[in-house]
């Protein structure tokens, strides 16, 4: 029965090709917009999360101190490395502290050079284990710090030039003498230590920075501690569990207001924000779907009017009201469905094309996400819109009195 | 045996602001396997009478019985069912569904009676053969002549093997030769299959095919005549 009504509905859609297609266009533009926007949004989200993962590392835990107010830079936090190492599942611990210090180089012959410069204390593991956080150091001269070094420093290219420092030169940081052991190549990317961003710190500009061992920075500046600690977990360890145990250990040791964040914690608010934007855009696009729905309703009312006599005939030859109702509902539902399928296809093509264009012209890679729930949802939704829009016209058709319908000219 | 019994039938309906008294008291009994013509000027109530017999409408007063079922006691669903099973319509303007082939038009009433697809196709082919249009089964109505269309419509009326065929000016849009073909077919259906046929017509030549001719005027039967 349904099958027969279905083929009757198909027949009337196909005999009114132009109008049916125009109505379908009304639906598929909306669906295209929704699908393209959401696909791009999902791709963007995945790309961003992926990049965060590359910098931060999905197996990394960050410890900071609760800022006094939201958005403020977190205060220093002092933690004994051994305390964290004591937690099961911890593979490596590293930290970094960035300060501005008074630096001078006493030259034997000419006038002394001095200034306020960025001084970063690096723990040894920061270089060996958390390289994505600070980037690779490419040396021009000398070497970088090793575990045995004390009162040694390596310099960014810019700062070395400024201080006119060479290997073996002695500089004074906050009245403490350091020997220059390495000078880096000019860094084209300039921005390093992006991880600081997650802890509310500005990124380190490698070229303008003096790097010293972390253990010494406490001596130079008041108040011990670092802005954040990074923990790498053992392979296969449960990150959330390790994070929880670190939290417990810190509380037990009396470290106040420590916040232990995993990759999940960092990625979640970003995802949420992206999704909110996505939802907003999709809602805007959905307005055009509403317009498409009104188009379907219009077409169906016209169809009912046009086929009044046909409806009369069907009733005269034994069609029930429910048959007529189904017939028109199937027809409008089909229009919605076809619009949905076409919209999904074009929407996916559009988002893939846009991602390609962005990669091609701006050299920014956005992943393309083909989400099955999105596709299924969009098609189902367009079918529902078509059916809803057909509801009133179909009801009118089914309620027509056969004699009046037959008399209709 | 009387198949259709109409007693004291009146039908009033509102057309704009005025009430039309289409039927004012009709008594009529029609037997099984009878062919009857209803004549009368426009507005005499011929079509209304046909609609009441065809269960498209119920009387304002009086009783209309079809096979002892009083139609005024039926709800809309039951009327639809009775109509679908017992009655076949033939219209002056054919009223074929323009988007469907001759074959599909004949199948249409069977769809609503839930006849299986294969059974439908077979029956439609038989009926088209019966009206002499086997070679036209795949044609759409606009590819057929008036006479052919009316024969398709007759085949459609026969789809559910009804007892009663109601024809409202079936020859009104046809030339006399096509008209005669249609009337011959109706007569054969009566003779060979025992169908009861009611034909509304203006045309005395058409009425001549009937065994009995009744004439309506202003909603009343004013003349009843038996043909030889």
């Amino acid at each position: 029965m349904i099958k027969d009504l279905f083929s009757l509905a198909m027949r009337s859609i196909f005999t009114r090709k132009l109008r049916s297609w125009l109505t379908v266009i009304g639906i598929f533009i909306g669906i295209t917009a929704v699908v393209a926007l959401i696909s791009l949004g999902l791709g963007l989200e995945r790309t961003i999360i992926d990049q965060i993962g590359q910098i931060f590392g999905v197996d990394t835990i960050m410890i900071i101190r609760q800022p006094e107010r939201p958005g403020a830079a977190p205060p220093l936090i002092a933690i004994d490395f051994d305390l964290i190492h004591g937690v099961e599942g911890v593979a490596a611990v590293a930290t970094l502290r960035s300060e501005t210090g008074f630096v001078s180089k006493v030259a034997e012959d000419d006038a002394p050079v001095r200034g306020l410069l960025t001084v970063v204390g690096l723990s040894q593991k920061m270089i060996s284990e958390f390289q994505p956080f600070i980037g690779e150091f490419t040396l021009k001269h000398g070497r970088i710090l090793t575990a045995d070094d004390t009162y040694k420093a390596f310099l960014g290219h810019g700062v070395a030039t400024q201080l006119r420092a060479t290997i073996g030169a002695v500089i004074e940081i906050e009245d403490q003498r350091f020997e220059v052991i390495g000078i880096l190549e000019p860094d084209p990317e300039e921005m390093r230590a992006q991880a600081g961003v997650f802890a509310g710190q500005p990124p380190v500009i490698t070229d303008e920075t003096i790097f010293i061992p972390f253990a010494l920075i406490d001596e130079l500046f008041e108040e011990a501690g670092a802005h954040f600690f990074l923990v790498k977990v053992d392979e296969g360890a449960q990150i959330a569990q390790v994070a929880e145990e670190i939290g417990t250990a810190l509380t037990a040791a009396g470290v106040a207001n420590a916040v232990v964040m995993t990759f999940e914690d960092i990625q979640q608010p970003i995802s949420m924000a992206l999704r909110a934007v996505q939802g907003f855009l999709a809602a805007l696009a959905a307005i055009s779907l509403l317009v498409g729905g009104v188009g379907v309703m219009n077409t169906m009312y016209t169809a009912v009017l046009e086929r009044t006599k046909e409806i009369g005939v069907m009733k005269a030859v034994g069609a029930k009201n429910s048959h007529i109702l189904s017939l028109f509902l199937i027809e409008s539902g089909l229009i919605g469905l076809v619009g949905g399928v076409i919209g999904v296809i074009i929407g996916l093509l559009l988002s893939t094309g846009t991602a390609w264009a962005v990669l091609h012209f701006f050299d920014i890679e956005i992943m393309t996400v083909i989400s099955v729930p999105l596709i299924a949802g969009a098609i189902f939704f367009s079918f529902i819109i078509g059916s809803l829009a057909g509801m009133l016209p179909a009801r009118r058709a089914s309620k027509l009195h056969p004699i009046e319908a037959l008399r209709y000219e | 045996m009387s198949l259709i019994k109409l007693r004291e039938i009146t039908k009033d309906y509102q057309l704009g602001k005025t009430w039309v008294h289409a039927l004012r008291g009709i008594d009529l009994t029609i037997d099984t396997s009878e062919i009857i013509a209803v004549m009368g000027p426009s507005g005499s109530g011929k079509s209304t009478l046909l609609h009441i017999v065809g269960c498209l409408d119920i009387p304002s007063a009086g009783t209309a019985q079809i096979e002892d079922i009083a139609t005024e006691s039926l709800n809309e669903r039951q009327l639809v069912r009775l109509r679908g099973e017992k009655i076949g319509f033939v219209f002056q303007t054919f009223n074929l569904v323009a988007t469907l082939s001759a074959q599909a038009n004949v199948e249409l009433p069977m769809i609503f009676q839930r006849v299986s697809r294969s059974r439908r196709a077979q029956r439609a082919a038989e009926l088209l053969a019966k009206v002499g249009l086997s070679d036209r089964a795949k044609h759409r109505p606009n590819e057929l002549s008036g006479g052919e269309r009316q024969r398709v419509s007759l085949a459609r009326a026969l789809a559910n093997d009804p007892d009663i065929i109601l024809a409202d000016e079936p020859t009104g849009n046809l030339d006399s030769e096509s008209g005669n073909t249609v009337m011959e077919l109706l007569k054969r259906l009566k003779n060979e299959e025992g169908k009861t046929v009611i034909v509304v017509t203006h045309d005395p030549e058409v009425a001549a095919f009937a065994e009995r001719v009744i004439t309506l005027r202003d909603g009343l039967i004013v003349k009843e005549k038996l043909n030889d």
Side-chain angles (χ1 to χ4, degrees):
Chain A
M1 184 78 218
I2 281 290
K3 218 164 132 194
D4 298 313
L5 292 177
F6 196 83
S7 66
L8 280 175
M10 280 292 251
R11 193 73 61 106
S12 42
I13 287 178
F14 278 107
T15 44
R16 273 163 276 261
K17 269 196 201 95
L18 181 63
R19 200 194 309 150
S20 302
W21 278 120
L22 289 175
T23 315
V24 164
I25 286 174
I27 291 286
F28 93 62
I29 286 177
I31 291 287
T32 298
V34 170
V35 169
L37 282 173
I38 295 184
S39 290
L40 274 176
L42 288 175
L44 195 64
E45 182 184 332
R46 189 172 296 179
T47 306
I48 291 172
I49 300 300
D50 212 57
Q51 277 177 0
I52 294 171
Q54 274 173 23
I55 298 167
F56 191 87
V58 288
D59 56 351
T60 302
I61 294 168
M62 178 181 264
I63 306 164
I64 60 166
R65 196 170 196 182
Q66 182 85 54
E68 275 141 25
R69 58 200 152 74
L76 290 174
I77 184 166
I79 304 172
D80 189 352
F81 277 52
D82 293 337
L83 178 70
I84 303 175
H85 271 299
V87 174
E88 200 180 333
V90 171
V93 185
T95 188
L96 175 154
R97 176 171 169 185
S98 176
E99 291 287 349
T100 304
F102 189 75
V103 181
S104 61
K105 185 192 145 216
V106 189
E108 291 85 42
D109 37 1
D110 37 47
V113 192
R114 50 172 69 102
L116 281 171
L117 295 170
T118 307
V119 180
V120 165
L122 279 179
S123 77
Q124 198 48 228
K125 286 274 166 53
M126 201 71 197
I127 301 169
S128 59
E129 298 287 331
F130 297 92
Q131 203 199 43
F133 278 83
I134 42 171
E136 201 173 342
F137 293 117
T138 316
L139 283 160
K140 192 174 182 189
H141 305 292
R143 59 178 181 86
I144 55 173
L145 294 164
T146 64
D148 302 328
D149 288 324
T150 52
Y151 302 110
K152 304 263 167 38
F154 65 97
L155 314 183
H157 188 265
V159 92
T161 313
Q162 203 180 337
L163 290 171
R164 280 184 251 128
T166 50
I167 303 293
V170 176
I171 55 172
E172 273 185 13
I173 305 169
E174 298 286 322
D175 297 329
Q176 181 64 56
R177 285 172 170 253
F178 284 82
E179 187 194 342
V180 175
I181 55 163
I183 294 167
L184 300 173
E185 287 278 5
D187 189 345
E189 281 186 39
E190 288 183 345
M191 307 287 254
R192 292 297 192 188
Q194 292 128 313
V197 175
F198 303 121
Q201 294 292 311
V204 172
I205 302 166
T206 314
D207 260 12
E208 307 295 329
T209 300
I210 298 166
F211 296 92
I212 61 169
F214 173 75
L216 295 175
I217 204 155
D218 283 358
E219 286 181 20
L220 304 181
F221 299 95
E222 284 171 23
E223 211 184 329
H227 290 110
F228 57 86
F229 284 82
L230 296 172
V231 178
K232 185 160 275 180
V233 300
D234 283 330
E235 220 171 295
Q238 290 291 320
I239 298 164
Q241 198 184 329
V242 174
E244 206 183 311
E245 278 168 28
I246 290 173
T248 315
L250 289 174
T251 313
V255 180
N257 295 333
V259 181
V260 183
M261 294 188 295
T262 62
F263 175 68
E264 280 287 302
D265 298 325
I266 284 169
Q267 156 262 275
Q268 224 164 28
I270 297 170
S271 282
M272 298 261 278
L274 285 171
R275 294 221 167 160
V277 173
Q278 236 172 286
F280 174 70
L281 289 176
L284 284 185
I287 291 173
S288 66
L289 258 184
L290 208 68
V291 177
V294 174
V296 174
M297 196 181 281
N298 191 10
T299 299
M300 292 315 293
Y301 267 124
T302 313
V304 171
L305 213 60
E306 226 174 32
R307 278 147 67 189
T308 299
K309 198 152 195 173
E310 194 179 308
I311 294 163
V313 173
M314 290 201 182
K315 288 195 156 191
V317 302
K320 291 182 199 151
N321 288 359
S322 62
H323 292 146
I324 305 290
L325 188 79
S326 317
L327 190 61
F328 280 88
L329 274 185
I330 291 172
E331 200 170 316
S332 66
L334 267 179
I335 289 177
L337 195 67
V338 172
V341 171
I342 296 176
V344 164
I345 293 170
I346 296 185
L348 290 178
L349 287 177
L350 199 66
S351 65
T352 314
T354 307
W356 179 85
V358 167
L359 179 68
H360 196 77
F361 294 112
F362 302 101
D363 204 25
I364 299 168
E365 191 173 359
I366 300 175
M367 291 180 193
T368 37
V369 174
I370 293 183
S371 154
V372 174
L374 172 65
I375 293 169
I379 292 175
F380 180 71
F381 189 60
S382 54
F383 173 70
I384 292 297
I385 284 211
S387 306
L388 281 181
M391 203 74 98
L392 289 173
R395 262 181 69 85
R396 169 178 285 191
S398 75
K399 296 264 182 254
L400 283 174
H401 195 279
I403 295 173
E404 279 157 29
L406 279 171
R407 267 204 208 110
Y408 185 86
E409 289 302 332
Chain B
M1 193 197 109
S2 54
L3 181 68
I4 301 164
K5 257 186 267 178
L6 305 179
R7 290 288 170 269
E8 298 284 325
I9 296 286
T10 65
K11 180 69 189 177
D12 309 312
Y13 58 86
Q14 205 172 4
L15 205 68
K17 281 180 182 168
T18 55
W19 279 90
V20 179
H21 306 287
L23 299 175
R24 297 163 182 257
I26 299 280
D27 285 298
L28 182 64
T29 304
I30 300 169
D31 290 335
T32 302
S33 189
E34 190 178 4
I35 182 160
I36 180 168
V38 181
M39 298 189 73
S42 297
S44 59
K46 305 185 299 285
S47 293
T48 307
L49 182 66
L50 207 66
H51 292 154
I52 284 177
V53 174
C55 300
L56 283 173
D57 218 341
I58 51 170
S60 303
T63 58
Q65 283 186 357
I66 294 169
E67 284 189 344
D68 297 330
I69 303 163
T71 60
E72 63 272 15
S73 68
L74 301 181
N75 63 26
E76 205 177 315
R77 263 187 112 77
Q78 292 164 318
L79 279 174
V80 170
R81 199 161 145 207
L82 193 62
R83 189 156 75 216
E85 289 172 0
K86 300 281 179 206
I87 291 153
F89 284 95
V90 179
F91 303 95
Q92 177 176 3
T93 51
F94 325 128
N95 289 347
L96 297 172
V97 177
T99 56
L100 299 178
S101 68
Q103 167 105 13
N105 264 289
V106 177
E107 285 188 31
L108 196 58
M110 294 187 270
I111 290 178
F112 300 124
Q113 298 300 322
R114 296 170 172 275
V115 177
S116 77
R117 194 168 279 243
S118 55
R119 177 87 195 82
R120 247 166 33 209
Q122 192 196 345
R123 171 107 182 120
E126 282 167 20
L127 290 169
L128 284 172
K130 186 178 284 186
V131 298
L133 287 175
S134 290
D135 55 334
R136 294 289 206 222
K138 295 277 171 273
H139 289 62
R140 296 250 183 115
N142 61 4
E143 297 161 338
L144 300 172
S145 72
E148 288 170 332
R149 288 187 214 184
Q150 195 58 299
R151 282 186 279 155
V152 173
S153 135
L154 185 55
R156 182 181 65 187
L158 293 169
N160 290 324
D161 197 18
D163 298 330
I164 304 164
I165 294 167
L166 303 178
D168 194 353
E169 304 270 11
T171 61
N173 281 9
L174 302 181
D175 60 79
S176 60
E177 197 190 324
S178 305
N180 279 341
T181 315
V182 169
M183 288 313 296
E184 287 292 350
L185 276 167
L186 284 173
K187 200 165 178 176
R188 245 176 58 203
L189 288 170
K190 181 249 160 191
N191 288 336
E192 292 170 14
E193 299 181 29
K195 305 283 186 210
T196 302
V197 182
I198 304 176
V199 183
V200 165
T201 184
H202 277 107
D203 187 348
E205 270 186 56
V206 171
F209 280 89
E211 296 161 319
R212 183 155 59 123
V213 182
I214 61 167
T215 307
L216 293 186
R217 187 180 292 270
D218 297 330
L220 287 168
I221 297 177
V222 291
K223 199 164 102 184
E224 187 164 346
K225 176 184 127 203
L226 289 175
N227 285 341
D228 324 313

